[in-house]
Amino acid sequence: MRRLFPRLCDPLCGLEFALQKLQESKRAEIFALSEVQSLSGAPGNFEAVLRRRPRYVLEERCRACGECAGACPVSIPPAGKQHGADNHNRKAIHPAEPMAFPSAFVVDRRFCPPDCRKCADICPVQAVNLDEQPGEMTIKAGAVLVTTGWDGYALEKVEEYGYGLYPNVVSNLEMEAIAENPSDLKEVGFIQCAGSRDERHLAYCSTVCCSATLKQILHLKEIRPDAKCYIFYQDIRTPGLDEELYQKVKALDQVLFIRGNPSTVKPGENGKLWVRAEDTFSGTEISLDLDLLVLAGGMVPSGGTQEIGALFKLTRTPNGFFEAHLPCHPEESQKTGIRVGGSCRGPMGVAASIESSHRAAMDILPFVAETIRIEPAYPELNLTKCDKCKRCIEECPYSSYAFDPNGFPALDLTKCRQCGNCMGICPLSAISMRNLTIAQLAD
């Protein structure tokens, strides 16, 4: 992401400000290159095991002077598939990408020649440690906030548009970099819902793709006013204040909205793409020679969402995002003390993701206090009625029950949501909600 509407500002600016405040806080620790290996405990007393990958550069010493990169003999390709302004090589020792945080350089040892230590030899502060090994550490926490984000849909699967086959077919994320330096672009096509709202791929709408395309066109036209832009769409969806963005782009010269996705995309003459489509409004066939074709792909759960979901045993929706009670408690997972924020809950834009994560962060504050408040309406078990059938243990949606030494169900009050499910499913009516017993309900 390069520009945020409506100011078209650099999103890294806001990140730098937020990270600076975190660095200055005595109550925040940031562990880069780290992954959660396990999580145990209960709300107010979680214990997480982290695995830290080696950076090979000491964060507390590195001044990011760049002398090590100058001495490095190896150039490596940029991370991921990049275009335009980002299409440059880097050295095996380089700043972190896409944002240099922390400022210390990092070494990609996969590309280092055997026995090469030029970066370590030239470093003026002896910050390079090429013998660093992976490590593990354990931290304690009162609560867990999961913000694992999203990934772009694999557009190679939408075979009819040639992504991955033709170099001038790119994703909307790649267009972010291209739009910064579009010097040779005269005619650009944009296909909306590429793989979205399609039972073969993603059945849902990702809510932000139309707005992202319109923003890119607006930025492109500011740099190249003579560029011609063609938007192939099923429906233009710009909810809320993004309608203003749609009206701005619609009023621009040489911007054409074509209702209907292309039926043919194939290489044309002089390195261009030949695209054919039917405008379902006018019923006319349109044939274009484009310099670039941009696919607006949808949002899918990130790899991190899948990993953390399995590790923490968090329930996910059929589409793979974390499940939550959207009408009332959208930030709550089905594990007490664990909150989910941002687009790991579902497709959303940057502003909505920030708001969601802020709400989730505020919601976990009670779990990081010295004491946890328990509402006096929790379930109580009548041991004289219980026959140890295990049904409450197996069917509690929050894993609040476990066996005690005598084989009876024991309730962990910090995990219990007081939903009453256990009272309803107990075949012997051995469980009652405190201050709301079965006898009271019967009366």
Side-chain angles (χ1 to χ4, degrees), residues 128-340:
V128 180
N129 177 16
L130 297 176
D131 300 317
E132 184 181 1
Q133 299 297 316
E136 282 193 356
M137 63 183 303
T138 301
I139 61 173
K140 293 186 177 294
V144 178
L145 175 56
V146 179
T147 55
T148 44
W150 61 279
D151 287 337
Y153 183 67
L155 292 171
E156 295 90 346
K157 297 179 179 179
V158 191
E159 297 177 353
E160 58 265 36
Y161 298 141
Y163 182 82
L165 296 177
Y166 311 140
N168 40 0
V169 177
V170 301
S171 72
N172 48 357
L173 288 176
E174 293 161 352
M175 183 60 184
E176 290 286 323
I178 296 173
E180 296 297 305
N181 184 26
S183 57
D184 56 347
L185 296 181
K186 297 179 181 178
E187 297 191 54
V188 183
F190 296 83
I191 300 179
Q192 301 308 107
C193 301
S196 297
R197 303 169 64 197
D198 185 336
E199 292 182 354
R200 299 173 301 164
H201 303 286
L202 303 179
Y204 54 86
C205 169
S206 291
T207 74
V208 300
C209 312
C210 289
S211 298
T213 291
L214 296 172
K215 177 206 69 174
Q216 290 171 351
I217 292 172
L218 187 64
H219 187 51
L220 175 63
K221 294 289 284 185
E222 287 180 351
I223 301 174
R224 290 293 306 271
D226 58 332
K228 296 180 181 179
C229 298
Y230 305 91
I231 302 98
F232 301 93
Y233 71 98
Q234 301 177 48
D235 302 286
I236 295 294
R237 297 184 172 185
T238 50
L241 300 179
D242 283 358
E243 178 66 16
E244 175 189 352
L245 175 61
Y246 169 60
Q247 296 297 336
K248 280 185 177 180
V249 174
K250 190 173 70 169
L252 295 174
D253 291 334
Q254 301 188 92
V255 173
L256 179 63
F257 288 81
I258 303 169
R259 194 175 192 277
N261 286 343
S263 59
T264 304
V265 175
K266 64 182 183 180
E269 297 180 356
N270 302 318
K272 293 194 173 187
L273 283 171
W274 182 63
V275 177
R276 182 175 63 185
E278 180 184 354
D279 188 334
T280 59
F281 273 151
S282 63
T284 59
E285 185 178 289
I286 296 174
S287 180
L288 300 170
D289 289 311
L290 301 178
D291 297 309
L292 189 71
L293 183 62
V294 183
L295 307 183
M299 304 169 75
V300 299
S302 68
T305 294
Q306 299 174 48
E307 294 172 10
I308 291 296
L311 188 64
F312 293 179
K313 298 180 180 179
L314 298 179
T315 305
R316 295 194 288 153
T317 67
N319 294 318
F321 296 97
F322 289 126
E323 188 168 18
H325 192 281
L326 297 181
C328 302
H329 306 287
E331 74 290 343
E332 288 192 9
S333 72
Q334 288 198 358
K335 294 285 186 179
T336 307
I338 300 178
R339 297 293 187 264
V340 293

Side-chain angles (χ1 to χ4, degrees), residues 9-23:
C9 55
D10 184 351
L12 293 185
C13 176
L15 283 175
E16 289 172 354
F17 176 75
L19 289 170
Q20 182 180 357
K21 291 180 67 176
L22 282 176
Q23 281 186 306

Side-chain angles (χ1 to χ4, degrees), residues 77-88:
K81 183 179 179 181
Q82 301 186 35
H83 297 261
D86 283 342
N87 193 19
H88 64 277

